[in-house]
Amino acid sequence: MTETRTCEFDHNNNPKKNTRSTEELKDGFSGLPYSGVEDGLSGLPCFGVDNDKGGILEDGFSGLPCSGVEDGLSRLPCFGVEDDKGGILEDGFAAKGKKKRRICEMGRLSDPLVVLGSDIMLMILSCLDARSVALCLLVSCGWSAVASSDKIWSSKCEELWQGKTHLPRIAKVNDLLKLAVYSLSIMDGKRKRIRKEDLYDHVWEFHFTEAAPEYWRMLDPYWNGTGRPLRRYFLPDGSQTAEPDDKIWGGHESCYSIVTSVLADGKIRAHYVRINRLPPMYVTRKEDWSWEISNNFCTYRSIPDADKKDGTGPLFLLH
C-alpha cells in the first residue's frame, strides 16, 4: 500500500503555516505558555517579561522580579541597578569601604588634636613624662609633629640632666633637635665602655682601699682625715699627673692605657685601664653617669662637671 501525504500551499508555493496559537504551545516542565524562543543551550523554552503574567520569573535568591537579562554562565536572571529597590546588589567590599570611611571620619572628629588644636595639645603633652610623649610620636603624622616640638623636649632634657655628674658632649652640639639630644643623652648615659676622652675630660678623686698597705693609707687624706681627697689628672698624651703637694705621688712619671678585648661575636670580654704596671683597673658606670675605675688597692672616681659648656666625653658614641 502506498501512503499519500498532502500539504497545503499558499500562493507563494510555501507550505501553509501552522495556525496553532502561541497559547497552545506549552512548556513541558511548567505547563505555561512560552514565547516560542528556545534556549540555545538546553533547547528549553525561554520566558520573556511579556509572558510572565504571574511574576513567575522571579529571582530564586532575592524574590524580586528580574529585568529579563540572563546571566551568561548560570542562565539565571540578573539584576540591574534600577531594579535593586532594596539595595540587595550593594557590593560587599564597597559596603566595608563605606564602613571604614565612616569609622575613620568618626575617629578624625574625635581626635583630640583635631578637636582641641595643636596649641592646646602642646600644653597637654608638656605635662606628660618623656616615655608617654615618645609614644605619642607613633599615633599619626599630626601627633608626631606636635610631640617632637623643641618646646616639649627642652624641658625633658633639663629634667633628664638634673642631678647627673656629667653631660655628654654630643648633647651640647648646636642645631640638633631637642628630641635627638634627649635620645643621645640616654644612649651615652648607658655607655659602659670608657674612652680616652672620658679620662682626660674629668678630674679624678683618688684614694687607697682597705686592702692597701697601712703605710700608704696613713698618707692618704681619705683615711687620716687631714684634708680633701687626693686628685689625679689624665692627659691627652697618655700621661698622668697629680698636685704638687701630693705626698703619695712623689713626682714620679706615670702613663696609662685603655685595654679592651672583644670576642668574635662583638661582645666585650675584658675592659680595663692600665696605669704603669699596677694591676688592671676595671671600669664601672654609675646611675648618675659618673665613672669609677678601681682594683684591689686604689679607686678613682670622676668629679662632677656637668657645668662644662661643651660637655664631656667622645663626640661619637661607641658601644
Side-chain angles (χ1 to χ4, degrees):
M1 180 182 293
T2 303
E3 182 181 357
T4 303
R5 296 184 180 182
T6 60
C7 276
E8 296 182 4
F9 292 88
D10 60 9
H11 298 286
N12 295 326
N13 296 325
N14 291 327
K16 188 176 181 180
K17 294 181 180 179
N18 196 329
T19 58
R20 294 177 63 184
S21 65
T22 302
E23 289 76 11
E24 296 178 1
L25 299 178
K26 306 291 185 178
D27 179 4
F29 294 91
S30 62
L32 298 174
Y34 70 104
S35 60
V37 181
E38 293 183 344
D39 179 2
L41 297 178
S42 61
L44 297 176
C46 298
F47 288 94
V49 177
D50 297 334
N51 304 109
D52 188 21
K53 304 301 182 181
I56 300 174
L57 297 181
E58 293 179 342
D59 182 9
F61 296 94
S62 63
L64 297 175
C66 66
S67 61
V69 182
E70 294 180 345
D71 180 3
L73 297 178
S74 62
R75 309 297 296 173
L76 294 175
C78 299
F79 288 95
V81 177
E82 62 279 3
D83 301 305
D84 188 21
K85 305 300 182 181
I88 298 175
L89 292 182
E90 186 175 23
D91 186 6
F93 293 100
K96 292 181 180 179
K98 290 181 180 179
K99 183 177 180 181
K100 290 181 179 179
R101 286 194 294 271
R102 288 196 299 269
I103 293 175
C104 292
E105 183 65 19
M106 293 174 60
R108 190 186 71 82
L109 295 177
S110 61
D111 187 348
L113 181 60
V114 177
V115 176
L116 302 177
S118 58
D119 293 338
I120 301 298
M121 283 300 298
L122 188 64
M123 297 173 59
I124 295 175
L125 295 182
S126 299
C127 300
L128 302 179
D129 60 278
R131 179 178 176 81
S132 299
V133 178
L135 291 176
C136 293
L137 295 169
L138 307 176
V139 176
S140 66
C141 293
W143 279 64
S144 178
V146 176
S148 60
S149 173
D150 282 354
K151 294 181 180 179
I152 296 176
W153 290 101
S154 294
S155 60
K156 300 305 178 187
C157 287
E158 295 298 331
E159 294 175 4
L160 175 66
W161 295 340
Q162 187 174 5
K164 296 298 188 290
T165 302
H166 314 300
L167 297 185
R169 191 183 307 276
I170 188 67
K172 298 294 185 175
V173 176
N174 295 328
D175 301 329
L176 278 181
L177 295 175
K178 295 302 181 182
L179 174 58
V181 170
Y182 187 95
S183 301
L184 293 172
S185 298
I186 292 290
M187 293 173 62
D188 188 89
K190 294 181 178 181
R191 179 169 53 92
K192 306 295 184 181
R193 185 174 177 179
I194 200 168
R195 299 287 302 278
K196 190 176 182 179
E197 294 88 342
D198 296 310
L199 291 176
Y200 65 69
D201 275 347
H202 307 309
V203 178
W204 298 78
E205 286 186 350
F206 167 87
H207 68 82
F208 287 109
T209 65
E210 191 173 0
E214 184 178 358
Y215 172 76
W216 289 355
R217 285 190 283 114
M218 292 307 297
L219 295 176
D220 188 350
Y222 178 83
W223 290 99
N224 58 34
T226 58
R228 64 178 176 81
L230 300 173
R231 294 189 174 186
R232 296 288 187 266
Y233 304 90
F234 295 91
L235 303 180
D237 61 1
S239 62
Q240 185 190 36
T241 61
E243 295 177 334
D245 58 348
D246 191 326
K247 297 180 181 180
I248 299 176
W249 183 256
H252 63 277
E253 295 182 357
S254 178
C255 61
Y256 69 91
S257 62
I258 300 175
V259 180
T260 305
S261 60
V262 182
L263 299 174
D265 58 359
K267 294 183 179 179
I268 297 177
R269 181 180 63 180
H271 179 60
Y272 58 86
V273 178
R274 174 82 73 175
I275 301 177
N276 287 346
R277 295 184 178 180
L278 297 176
M281 306 194 71
Y282 293 98
V283 180
T284 305
R285 190 75 184 271
K286 303 296 184 179
E287 292 185 0
D288 62 354
W289 297 356
S290 63
W291 296 94
E292 179 180 296
I293 54 176
S294 61
N295 57 23
N296 292 335
F297 299 101
C298 62
T299 299
Y300 289 76
R301 286 196 179 98
S302 58
I303 296 177
D305 54 9
D307 57 341
K308 279 193 173 183
K309 180 180 179 181
D310 297 329
T312 58
L315 181 61
F316 300 102
L317 300 180
L318 178 64
H319 297 283

